[in-house]
Amino acid sequence: MGSAPCTGIGVRRARAIARGRTAALAAALALATLAAPAGTLQAQQTHVLLVTGLTGEPRFANTFETAAAAVFDAARTQWKVADSSLIWLGEDPARDRARIRGRATKEGIAEAILALSQRVASGDRVLVLLIGHGSGEREGARVNVPGPDPTAADYRAWLSGFANQQVVFVNASSASGDFVEVLRGEGRVVVTATRSAYERNESIFAEHFARGLGTGAADADKDGRVSVLEALAFADTEVDRQYETAGTLRSEHPLVSDSTLAARVSFGPPAVGADNPRVRALVAQRAELEQAVAQLRARKDQMEAPAYEAELERLLLEIAEKNAEIRAAGGRP
């Protein structure tokens, strides 16, 4: 698996940390890798909330909506997300009535998150993507929407309804770095477009992250799915390229809260055999084991190293065995 969740690390360092392995875990990790390629942590269903905030200028409206549409279309056509689990809230729903369900107000966002929390099952994936202009103030950090702005603390409270799901929360706005520390938690990946609240300039991260995730352009290992870390690495490279082409000093640097989980949570077509009740049950059991790994990693600093590594090895072996059962039942991990 790798290191314990981080309070907030840059994507380049995240990749280095994700590659780190202890010798004691090598055998178990090899088994897990043979049974389930990295980046294919599959849950039963995917649920998506997209929020495009206040634009201020027509060019921002086009940029925000193009990014959101890329993810929306991928979720609907490729990931097979149910219409009731695919919600896009925007500044002006009239701009795209076929996709945008309602206004991105504080009340609307809270209601959408509550609605999804009532639909999820244990082990499901939940993607929340915020695109817009933001500001940072620790728990008061926010993305601007019509009316009162929800804060990072508000989102933390709302996400409490997903205790048994894997949550990917992406704040792709300017000055978004404070969200990492406020929202980090077990079974949760938090990604921000900037590393601090002081990177306030217009951000171009959203368009590249959305393109990498939505079009498959970030699928580095060509397995047909895009992990969060793959999308993040792709966006980081493209942002760097755009700044270099423009000949300007780069003013935004993304963060990820947990690089290891980001490498394993992926989006793409449903798993082979997902309509098989036996496969679905096995996938749910594997999700419980993955949750146990996340909880163990959160306690790493409180444990003796030999005990931690022994327990992690046991869980990894169980995950490998569960993946073998999934394959035997006709599924694809």
Side-chain angles (χ1 to χ4, degrees):
M1 288 293 187
S3 65
C6 304
T7 58
I9 53 179
V11 62
R12 289 182 175 84
R13 185 180 166 215
R15 284 182 242 174
I17 291 174
R19 289 193 294 267
R21 299 290 186 265
T22 62
L25 298 177
L29 196 56
L31 285 174
T33 302
L34 286 172
T40 57
L41 178 59
Q42 303 237 13
Q44 292 172 297
Q45 300 293 333
T46 299
H47 311 264
V48 178
L49 171 62
L50 307 172
V51 178
T52 48
L54 292 175
T55 56
E57 299 178 26
R59 67 185 181 94
F60 288 126
N62 293 332
T63 299
F64 295 172
E65 291 165 7
T66 297
V71 177
F72 183 97
D73 291 344
R76 171 177 280 176
T77 62
Q78 299 172 34
W79 309 349
K80 305 302 180 184
V81 177
D83 286 344
S84 55
S85 290
L86 178 55
I87 303 172
W88 177 0
L89 303 178
E91 178 182 15
D92 180 8
R95 288 180 56 88
D96 191 344
R97 294 193 184 280
R99 296 185 180 98
I100 303 176
R101 183 176 298 185
R103 293 195 82 208
T105 62
K106 181 176 181 178
E107 294 77 12
I109 296 168
E111 290 173 2
I113 294 176
L114 176 61
L116 292 182
S117 73
Q118 295 172 339
R119 290 188 53 79
V120 296
S122 178
D124 282 0
R125 279 183 303 267
V126 180
L127 170 64
V128 179
L129 173 59
L130 311 183
I131 303 174
H133 302 297
S135 61
E137 193 181 345
R138 297 189 180 179
E139 294 195 350
R142 61 197 67 210
V143 176
N144 303 137
V145 300
D149 298 329
T151 65
D154 289 324
Y155 285 106
R156 180 179 59 197
W158 295 336
L159 293 179
S160 64
F162 302 106
N164 299 311
Q165 289 72 39
Q166 291 184 331
V167 176
V168 178
F169 188 100
V170 183
N171 183 348
S173 71
S174 53
S176 51
D178 286 352
F179 271 70
V180 169
E181 181 60 27
V182 177
L183 295 188
R184 63 178 297 228
E186 292 181 12
R188 185 181 300 169
V189 179
V190 184
V191 174
T192 58
T194 75
R195 63 188 173 195
S196 75
Y198 298 103
E199 294 187 329
R200 304 188 185 98
N201 294 341
E202 171 189 344
S203 172
I204 59 174
F205 174 81
E207 55 192 283
H208 297 299
F209 183 85
R211 180 162 66 90
L213 187 65
T215 68
D219 184 13
D221 59 8
K222 306 304 179 186
D223 66 347
R225 301 179 62 82
V226 177
S227 72
V228 178
L229 194 61
E230 283 179 320
L232 181 58
F234 174 84
D236 182 60
T237 299
E238 292 302 304
V239 167
D240 203 44
R241 191 195 318 276
Q242 187 167 335
Y243 275 92
E244 184 176 348
T245 300
T248 56
L249 183 65
R250 181 168 177 171
S251 59
E252 58 182 294
H253 304 81
L255 287 183
V256 59
S257 63
D258 186 340
S259 60
T260 302
L261 188 57
R264 292 189 58 79
V265 178
S266 60
F267 296 89
V272 173
D275 56 347
N276 182 325
R278 173 61 177 162
V279 171
R280 290 201 303 271
L282 289 168
V283 169
Q285 293 167 18
R286 183 181 60 191
E288 292 178 1
L289 290 169
E290 294 284 355
Q291 184 69 16
V293 169
Q295 293 170 350
L296 175 67
R297 288 168 52 226
R299 302 195 308 272
K300 180 179 180 180
D301 292 343
Q302 304 168 17
M303 301 176 64
E304 295 291 333
Y308 169 80
E309 292 180 356
E311 179 63 7
L312 183 55
E313 182 175 0
R314 182 187 70 80
L315 289 170
L316 287 174
L317 286 169
E318 288 193 31
I319 290 170
E321 291 168 0
K322 197 62 63 177
N323 282 319
E325 291 183 56
I326 292 171
R327 290 184 184 279
R332 183 185 67 195

